[in-house]
Amino acid sequence: MAEPHDVVVIGAGQAGLATAYYLRRAGVDFILLDASDEAGGAWRHGWDSLTLFSPASYSSLPGWMMPSSSPTRYPGRDDVVDYLARYEKRYGFRIERPVTVCDVRETPDGLEVCADGETHHAKVVVSATGTWSAPYVPVYEGQGLFEGIQLHSAHYRSASDLVGKSVIVVGGGNSGAQIAAEVSEVAKLIWVTPQLPVFLPDDVDGRVLFERANARVLGNDGASVGSLGDIVMVPPVKKARDEGRLQSVRPFATIGKNSVVWEDGSSTAAHAIIWCTGFRPALGHLQGLGVLDEDGRVANENGRSLKQPRLWLAGYGNWTGAASATLLGAGRMARDVVPSIVDFLAARGER
Ligand code: FAD
């Protein structure tokens, strides 16, 4: 049997890379296994016009700032992909890709990570597989009969196929708002949100939200300015709102062949439905460890599984750590998580 690694990190998106940065600094032996062909994690799948909600200085991983032509410019999807590709090259992390981990098992002296017919032995596993591969679409009667285009925001690229069409965009978060704004430029938009969407004040961006999230963690939250899920008024969203294109309606009841049907029985023709309805954590590879809750999450404290002491989670959302699914938050979380991994290994005499 090959010598076990101190740590196997599953996933080399921003959360995996931030973890790798601190593992390297702590002198821990590790590898990253990543299912993608290339660097960039979920950002590689973002739509063409996707714009971050904070400038580069608030969108950087530890050690090296995202390059930016201006402190007030908000980076786009390709800027982030390029940054992550250069980041992993800069630090020379050992990343094996494409390697898809399908199973993690407990052994008497550690964990076994099974991927594409190979087994990697680890003293500790950090799961950093994100959510992109687990898009969530709510179930509606008639959904399977719909003859138009149906896609999740995970697979939306641009509105070029939707010109002149009647398009239903479902979802009241940042994805829904950004895609609705873009679609409304070229198509007849019906924006469906469960409640009235929460637009943040125009001068509130990711910088303010990160400070708010921090203040909450520190227990000194003052006036509420909103949360990371509220809609940030990036320029295209602001323009669409100002032009009156972002009116929303409450959800339909069922879906017909070429329409959606409202609670009062009336219907609206639809050529396409775009589901901006979020994601679930991509944690199927942990099924065999018996750590998954009914909601598909792992009960954890500061990122460490409560049921499996050799397992940590990085990224995914606030349930693993404040703002852990953002670039800045991933770095902050990794900074706190890696010392606990080092302490664990040292306490067991495994380093
Ligand atoms: P991912 O980027 O998904 O990386 C996970 C990696 O793990 C991938 O490379 C994947 O291939 C790999 N993987 C998955 N399963 C396996 C497996 N079984 N075995 C091996 N490898 C696996 N964040 C910000 O900081 N600022 C913003 O302005 C911002 N704006 C956003 C706007 C939108 C519309 C959206 C949708 C997100 C935004 N985010 C923003 C959040 C951020 O982009 C994502 O949440 C982030 O990509 C998550 O990073 P991650 O490393 O956790 O996961």
Side-chain angles (χ1 to χ4, degrees):
M1 182 182 101
E3 275 293 298
H5 292 285
D6 285 346
V7 180
V8 170
V9 181
I10 309 173
Q14 61 198 36
L17 295 181
T19 306
Y21 174 86
Y22 285 108
L23 288 172
R24 163 71 55 81
R25 267 204 0 186
V28 175
D29 153 64
F30 67 93
I31 54 164
L32 297 113
L33 306 176
D34 190 49
S36 306
D37 293 331
E38 294 174 277
W43 293 101
R44 192 164 281 287
H45 307 286
W47 54 90
D48 297 347
S49 65
L50 177 57
T51 307
L52 269 67
F53 48 70
S54 15
S57 56
Y58 273 71
S59 309
S60 294
L61 292 179
W64 183 51
M65 281 283 208
M66 187 188 301
S68 173
S69 52
S70 136
T72 53
R73 186 178 161 267
Y74 289 38
R77 175 199 67 187
D78 293 344
D79 296 315
V80 187
V81 172
D82 183 55
Y83 170 61
L84 294 181
R86 289 165 66 187
Y87 187 92
E88 61 175 57
K89 210 181 250 177
R90 179 186 177 96
Y91 291 107
F93 297 137
R94 183 173 161 201
I95 303 177
E96 300 194 0
R97 61 161 64 98
V99 172
T100 302
V101 173
C102 50
D103 199 14
V104 179
R105 299 254 166 209
E106 188 170 10
T107 64
D109 49 5
L111 295 173
E112 259 177 15
V113 178
C114 306
D116 298 341
E118 276 198 51
T119 301
H120 302 263
H121 299 274
K123 297 171 192 167
V124 160
V125 165
V126 178
S127 184
T129 49
T131 58
W132 180 81
S133 57
Y136 169 74
V137 176
V139 177
Y140 277 90
E141 188 188 324
Q143 203 163 7
L145 304 173
F146 185 67
E147 290 179 349
I149 302 166
Q150 257 195 99
L151 79 167
H152 189 276
S153 63
H155 303 110
Y156 171 83
R157 300 304 278 204
S158 79
S160 60
D161 290 341
L162 304 171
V163 179
K165 296 200 155 71
S166 174
V167 181
I168 315 281
V169 172
V170 185
N174 280 291
S175 313
Q178 287 194 22
I179 291 176
E182 180 163 277
V183 164
S184 68
E185 295 263 8
V186 300
K188 178 176 180 277
L189 166 73
I190 295 116
W191 188 25
V192 175
T193 65
Q195 297 96 27
L196 271 182
V198 182
F199 293 114
L200 288 165
D202 290 1
D203 60 343
V204 171
D205 68 8
R207 285 174 286 197
V208 180
L209 296 178
F210 283 124
E211 297 313 336
R212 254 321 128 196
N214 265 350
R216 270 185 211 122
V217 171
L218 297 172
N220 52 10
D221 189 23
S224 184
V225 179
S227 77
L228 278 168
D230 296 341
I231 296 168
V232 179
M233 301 313 285
V234 293
V237 174
K238 187 167 175 296
K239 180 166 180 278
R241 182 206 58 191
D242 292 347
E243 292 174 3
R245 289 187 274 118
L246 283 189
Q247 308 301 327
S248 68
V249 294
R250 305 293 77 76
F252 42 84
T254 59
I255 301 177
K257 264 187 177 178
N258 304 295
S259 63
V260 292
V261 181
W262 307 99
E263 291 290 351
D264 66 3
S266 65
S267 62
T268 300
H271 297 109
I273 304 174
I274 305 176
W275 299 100
C276 303
T277 38
F279 296 83
R280 297 289 182 256
L283 289 173
H285 56 288
L286 300 182
Q287 191 80 44
L289 279 181
V291 294
L292 297 183
D293 290 346
E294 263 176 29
D295 60 2
R297 294 180 177 183
V298 175
N300 72 95
E301 192 175 356
N302 302 323
R304 185 184 184 183
S305 164
L306 294 176
K307 280 194 186 155
Q308 172 47 257
R310 294 183 181 273
L311 174 68
W312 271 259
L313 299 123
Y316 301 107
N318 289 336
W319 60 276
T320 63
S324 69
T326 64
L327 284 150
L328 200 64
R332 290 181 181 172
M333 190 181 172
R335 182 193 60 198
D336 296 340
V337 153
V338 167
S340 63
I341 295 174
V342 172
D343 288 350
F344 169 79
L345 291 171
R348 299 178 69 99
E350 294 183 7
R351 271 195 91 213

